[in-house]
């Protein structure tokens, strides 16, 4: 990949800012976690073992999908970043972090069921937990791809979480929401396994969310009692 520092200057700055927001939001600690964004014919990814507070835009690593890179050594998790971006043309950002409650559930290999309607933000009726594999391995990447099928987020067994997005903002928002839902679920479990919403209701929820993402009212089809702009006097 040729040097695209000038072409990707704004993107690089936004990536560093997002990394720092990962830590300031509490979903990540120290040098744990990593971030990648599709760029040109490859992608940009955070380097290995560099604290976010000292990271500069120039430290971000350019990688091609064949695994070659230019610059610093890439994150040890580059394989699942590469494979997700290669196999998921619907997303441009991969965010991985070790948020506390999501990782707590991942340590028990618990998939998060539809105990709350907001589970639908990940694209389905569950947020799956991928099987465990050693960090940085192809096996971990393979397991992550399975858990992310038709989903925008998953847990990684005894590891952490992955959230996907079209933009840095959407991926960070989703990661924070996954952590929030994980905390809710951990707390709900103290009262016993909570009831789950049926699949047909979750299908309605996901459709409502889809409509809202396109700027449409979330009201069900055929319902006339909808929020609408007030008519102005002529």
């Amino acid at each position: 990949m040729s040097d695209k520092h000038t072409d990707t200057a704004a993107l690089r700055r936004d990536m560093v800012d997002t990394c720092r927001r990962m830590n300031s939001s509490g979903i990540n600690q120290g040098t744990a976690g990593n971030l990648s964004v599709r760029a040109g014919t490859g992608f940009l990814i955070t380097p290995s073992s560099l604290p976010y507070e000292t990271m500069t835009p120039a430290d971000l690593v350019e990688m091609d999908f064949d695994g070659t890179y230019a610059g610093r050594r890439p994150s040890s998790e580059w394989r699942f970043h590469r494979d997700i971006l290669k196999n998921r043309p619907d997303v441009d950002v991969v965010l991985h972090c070790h948020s506390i409650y999501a990782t707590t559930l991942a340590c028990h290999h618990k998939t998060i069921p539809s105990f709350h309607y907001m589970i639908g933000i990940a694209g389905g009726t569950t947020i799956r937990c991928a099987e465990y594999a050693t960090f940085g391995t192809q096996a971990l990447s393979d397991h992550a791809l399975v858990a992310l099928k038709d989903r925008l987020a998953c847990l990684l067994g005894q590891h952490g979480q992955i959230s996907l997005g079209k933009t840095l903002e959407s991926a960070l928002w989703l990661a924070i929401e996954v952590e929030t839902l994980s905390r809710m679920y951990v707390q709900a479990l103290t009262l016993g396994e909570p009831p789950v919403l049926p699949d047909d209701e979750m299908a309605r929820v996901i459709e409502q969310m889809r409509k809202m993402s396109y700027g449409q009212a979330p009201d069900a089809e055929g319902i006339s009692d909808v929020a609408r702009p007030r008519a102005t006097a002529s």
Side-chain angles (χ1 to χ4, degrees), residues 16-27 169 172 176:
V16 171
D17 178 64
T18 299
C19 288
R20 292 174 181 168
R21 289 172 64 191
M22 286 165 63
N23 280 12
S24 65
S25 69
I27 64 168
E169 191 71 29
L172 178 61
I176 293 171

Side-chain angles (χ1 to χ4, degrees), residues 94-141:
V94 179
L95 187 157
H96 167 55
C97 64
H98 297 173
S99 57
I100 300 300
Y101 284 90
T103 303
T104 297
L105 294 172
C107 286
H108 285 272
H109 291 240
K110 290 187 75 69
T111 284
I112 308 176
S114 53
F115 79 105
H116 190 285
Y117 78 90
M118 281 293 284
I119 291 296
I121 61 171
T125 60
T126 60
I127 297 175
R128 303 186 188 104
C129 184
E131 293 182 36
Y132 174 80
T134 305
F135 75 93
T137 62
Q138 187 60 47
L140 178 61
S141 179

Side-chain angles (χ1 to χ4, degrees), residues 110-130 146-155 162 174 178 181-182 185 193 196-199 202-203 205-206:
K110 290 187 75 69
T111 284
I112 308 176
S114 53
F115 79 105
H116 190 285
Y117 78 90
M118 281 293 284
I119 291 296
I121 61 171
T125 60
T126 60
I127 297 175
R128 303 186 188 104
C129 184
V146 171
L148 286 167
K149 180 176 172 57
D150 302 320
R151 297 288 193 274
L152 291 172
C154 74
L155 307 183
I162 295 175
L174 181 57
V178 169
L181 287 163
S182 297
Y185 188 45
E193 191 70 48
V196 299
L197 294 168
D199 287 353
M202 287 302 296
V205 165
I206 292 167

